Amino acid sequence: MSDAFTTRVLHVATGSRERVADLTRDCEAFLGEVAAGRSGLLNLFVPHATAGIAIIETGAGSDDDLLAALHTLLPADDRWQHRHGSPGHGRDHVLPAFVPPHATLPVIDGRLELGTWQSVCLVDTNRDNPDRQVRLSFMG
């Protein structure tokens, strides 16, 4: 594969609880290895039907606020037609419509171009799947 396009899979252990996992350092480390000071695009893709990628502030409560908002919008109860797994699991399958399973971000001179408080995060509300994959792809 050409160095114009490089891809790698991250393995993220989310455990048995709902989680917003900050992937920013993983993205920066990947770019440090493959971008070589070039500009381009970083794409993240989660090949799961019950997880998504969000660009949000973390560490100041916004990650918990996001999970609380998702609880309000998508309650974990028995209203869902999709009913396998833990109670309310059907809402996990609706999550990617609100938190998409992908993001494409600018890379300038080999560095991820985020706003001051922005972080790249995996959003996982599915307690039944404790191990996730996130594909990082750099196109320079």
Side-chain angles (χ1 to χ4, degrees), residues 14-137:
T14 56
S16 59
R17 63 183 174 87
E18 296 178 356
R19 183 154 177 231
V20 175
D22 191 339
L23 304 177
T24 308
R25 288 186 181 161
D26 296 301
C27 293
E28 291 169 341
F30 172 69
L31 291 170
E33 293 174 27
V34 304
R38 295 175 295 150
S39 296
L41 296 172
L42 174 67
N43 181 265
L44 294 89
F45 176 72
V46 181
H48 300 284
T50 58
I53 299 291
I55 311 300
I56 62 168
E57 178 181 8
T58 59
S62 297
D63 35 357
D64 290 332
D65 289 341
L66 174 58
L67 291 175
L70 290 171
H71 272 278
T72 300
L73 186 61
L74 305 169
D77 58 22
D78 65 354
R79 73 182 69 200
W80 307 101
Q81 292 182 39
H82 186 104
R83 292 182 186 251
H84 75 84
S86 60
H89 175 64
R91 67 118 182 197
D92 299 326
H93 287 273
V94 176
L95 173 78
F98 295 92
V99 182
H102 58 86
T104 301
L105 304 168
V107 176
I108 306 298
D109 297 329
R111 298 182 51 95
L112 191 56
E113 193 71 13
L114 292 173
T116 302
W117 302 112
Q118 289 181 317
S119 295
V120 181
C121 298
L122 170 68
V123 179
D124 185 4
T125 59
N126 181 359
R127 300 178 316 225
D128 296 337
N129 189 348
D131 299 301
R132 296 302 188 154
Q133 295 179 1
V134 179
R135 178 168 295 281
L136 304 178
S137 299

